[in-house]
Amino acid sequence: MKWFRIDSFPEAWRPVYRLSRLLSFTTMTYNFRDQTASRTSTDQTLLVVGVLIGVVGLYYTFTFYHGRIFTITNSHIISAGRFMVLVIVITMHVATMIFNYWNGVEIAQFPRTIQNIDRQISTLFKHSWNYQAEHLRSIIFIVIGFTEWFVTIHIMKYTSYPFETAEFIDGLFMTTTFNWVNFGCQSNTVSWLVTLATIRKRLFVLNHHMRASLLDDSTSQKDPHHLRKLILRIGVLHSQLSDTIDCFNSCHSTTVMFSFAPAFMFTVFSWFGLVHAYAANVEESLVPNAWATVTLSLNYISLMFYDVLFSVLVNDQVKQTAVIVHKCIGYRPYHRDVCCLLRKFSQQLWHHSPVISCGLFNFNWELIFTMIASLSTYVVILVQFDLVNYTQSASSTKH
């Protein structure tokens, strides 16, 4: 179909680029014809608008939402916790925009770098890329992310809404800010997942052709000079892909951590609010509000789960490269020069075997298990601090 013809990776990347630029997270204008990026006045204006919306959200959080959040629940711990989380979410949202602006040049180089890697893989292994499928995958990620958010908001409409008592202008500003921040969260998640899926796909293709080229029974009978050239080019390709992982860590992993922190805190107070609603229910509205908040926390839980899942998939492909190289060294009777080059490749993998990490921790399953254990621990601690509410509830029931 001509209308759906995609001939390069930057064109397949276009939906993610458009969405992130609309929400002020991409601060470079990309020229898809020349595959170049430059910063214009429009990008700077979008950044200023995004920061101003965040500042407006903080203002209304301190003036309006702070005074009315105590009307939703009778627990001061939950009220203070939700207020603190809301402030942190908006602050991290603004920090992410500024961080992306600072690393805008490196982020904008990603489509061009991937296109260069694709060209080398196609030349070396005669591999053909299906950019239409990658374009469709980006759109599917966007649709799934925003559908999940709209379903969550639709469920929350059946509970008390803290902006209902606000005047029209105040309610409009607060609703706009609230949706802007959460749309930005979904946009960032989609951008991270598509980036990780793209890197993982290239590593998978490279590993597939390495197995076919180096682990075949007839490989040892090939010309040693040809094998040396092949291994050298594979090593260069793997080094370039490792550089894209390092670029993701320096440009995106910190902002992923910016999203993980408030998401985890919101999850803690949401599930604690559910325990509190059933243990000290003095109002009928506590339980449905608690379930609505837990429903919203599921959106943030899925964000953390998908980020870790795609990071693990990338890390596994990096490990597979090392496994293939070591199988070649241990189980194939190559020429001495070829074996020497494979050992150098192994040393390269030993000294530069990148993983998706923010610097403080790696994004792996151990992180998920640690967060689950911490979640249960913090909920128990908060329940102990909230014993006063349970005592007051019991005494009021007796009277």
Side-chain angles (χ1 to χ4, degrees):
M1 295 183 294
K2 288 186 176 181
W3 62 273
F4 194 56
R5 183 174 180 176
I6 306 295
D7 297 322
S8 65
F9 177 77
E11 293 180 2
W13 183 260
R14 191 193 297 263
V16 178
Y17 163 77
R18 297 296 187 195
L19 178 63
S20 59
R21 189 165 186 263
L22 176 64
L23 295 170
S24 306
F25 287 104
T26 296
T27 56
M28 300 288 289
T29 300
Y30 197 86
N31 189 328
F32 291 93
R33 178 177 298 178
D34 301 333
Q35 296 186 9
T36 58
S38 60
R39 182 162 287 155
T40 63
S41 58
T42 304
D43 301 313
Q44 297 174 347
T45 302
L46 288 173
L47 175 66
V48 171
V49 170
V51 172
L52 286 177
I53 293 177
V55 172
V56 170
L58 287 174
Y59 169 77
Y60 278 106
T61 300
F62 279 99
T63 58
F64 180 85
Y65 197 70
H66 175 259
R68 288 166 174 77
I69 195 171
F70 290 95
T71 63
I72 301 177
T73 176
N74 64 336
S75 172
H76 291 274
I77 296 178
I78 299 175
S79 302
R82 291 179 183 176
F83 169 73
M84 178 181 62
V85 169
L86 186 59
V87 172
I88 294 177
V89 165
I90 298 175
T91 304
M92 293 295 100
H93 181 84
V94 175
T96 299
M97 289 188 290
I98 296 174
F99 197 86
N100 285 356
Y101 180 83
W102 181 265
N103 297 301
V105 177
E106 294 182 49
I107 295 174
Q109 291 297 323
F110 178 76
R112 187 174 182 177
T113 301
I114 293 297
Q115 183 64 38
N116 182 39
I117 293 173
D118 290 352
R119 192 180 298 112
Q120 294 182 60
I121 293 177
S122 298
T123 303
L124 183 61
F125 299 112
K126 303 297 186 292
H127 182 84
S128 59
W129 296 96
N130 187 355
Y131 292 117
Q132 291 180 332
E134 298 203 34
H135 182 271
L136 181 61
R137 180 191 62 193
S138 300
I139 295 176
I140 291 175
F141 278 18
I142 293 173
V143 171
I144 291 176
F146 281 89
T147 300
E148 182 180 356
W149 171 249
F150 283 123
V151 169
T152 303
I153 292 299
H154 182 71
I155 294 174
M156 291 188 67
K157 286 183 178 179
Y158 293 101
T159 63
S160 63
Y161 191 55
F163 302 154
E164 289 178 348
T165 58
E167 297 181 0
F168 175 75
I169 298 298
D170 293 337
L172 178 63
F173 275 117
M174 287 182 287
T175 303
T176 301
T177 303
F178 178 73
N179 288 322
W180 177 274
V181 171
N182 284 281
F183 287 165
C185 179
Q186 298 297 330
S187 173
N188 268 333
T189 303
V190 170
S191 178
W192 299 328
L193 296 184
V194 173
T195 302
L196 292 173
T198 300
I199 297 174
R200 185 258 175 194
K201 177 66 176 178
R202 272 64 192 173
L203 286 169
F204 174 81
V205 171
L206 182 62
N207 290 336
H208 171 75
H209 287 291
M210 284 179 63
R211 290 189 186 94
S213 302
L214 300 178
L215 291 178
D216 188 77
D217 292 335
S218 61
T219 303
S220 58
Q221 303 175 1
K222 294 182 180 179
D223 182 15
H225 179 69
H226 172 74
L227 285 177
R228 290 185 76 256
K229 289 179 62 178
L230 177 64
I231 295 170
L232 281 172
R233 296 188 65 178
I234 289 175
V236 171
L237 279 170
H238 189 273
S239 177
Q240 292 177 354
L241 286 170
S242 298
D243 290 340
T244 61
I245 296 176
D246 291 335
C247 181
F248 181 90
N249 289 337
S250 62
C251 297
H252 294 295
S253 289
T254 302
T255 56
V256 175
M257 183 182 63
F258 288 168
S259 296
F260 268 43
F264 177 74
M265 292 176 61
F266 184 82
T267 303
V268 169
F269 284 103
S270 298
W271 288 91
F272 166 63
L274 184 64
V275 174
H276 169 82
Y278 279 103
N281 186 16
V282 295
E283 297 179 6
E284 295 182 357
S285 61
L286 281 182
V287 173
N289 274 286
W291 275 110
T293 310
V294 168
T295 303
L296 181 58
S297 73
L298 295 178
N299 182 63
Y300 295 110
I301 292 174
S302 66
L303 178 152
M304 294 185 286
F305 175 78
Y306 287 135
D307 282 329
V308 171
L309 172 62
F310 279 73
S311 299
V312 169
L313 292 176
V314 173
N315 296 337
D316 286 345
Q317 289 302 318
V318 174
K319 293 178 182 178
Q320 285 298 315
T321 305
V323 170
I324 295 171
V325 172
H326 294 150
K327 283 184 177 180
C328 293
I329 296 173
Y331 304 116
R332 287 290 180 267
Y334 290 118
H335 189 270
R336 182 176 59 184
D337 294 340
V338 176
C339 289
C340 181
L341 188 59
L342 285 171
R343 290 191 182 95
K344 290 182 179 179
F345 192 8
S346 175
Q347 290 179 353
Q348 173 187 325
L349 296 174
W350 174 263
H351 292 291
H352 187 203
S353 182
V355 295
I356 306 299
S357 171
C358 66
L360 296 177
F361 48 80
N362 297 335
F363 293 99
N364 50 29
W365 294 123
E366 184 179 352
L367 175 62
I368 293 293
F369 299 147
T370 303
M371 295 177 74
I372 293 174
S374 301
L375 174 65
S376 58
T377 302
Y378 291 145
V379 169
V380 171
I381 293 173
L382 290 174
V383 167
Q384 293 175 346
F385 276 108
D386 205 43
L387 288 176
V388 176
N389 284 321
Y390 303 146
T391 304
Q392 292 177 352
S393 175
S395 61
S396 62
T397 303
K398 291 180 180 179
H399 293 298

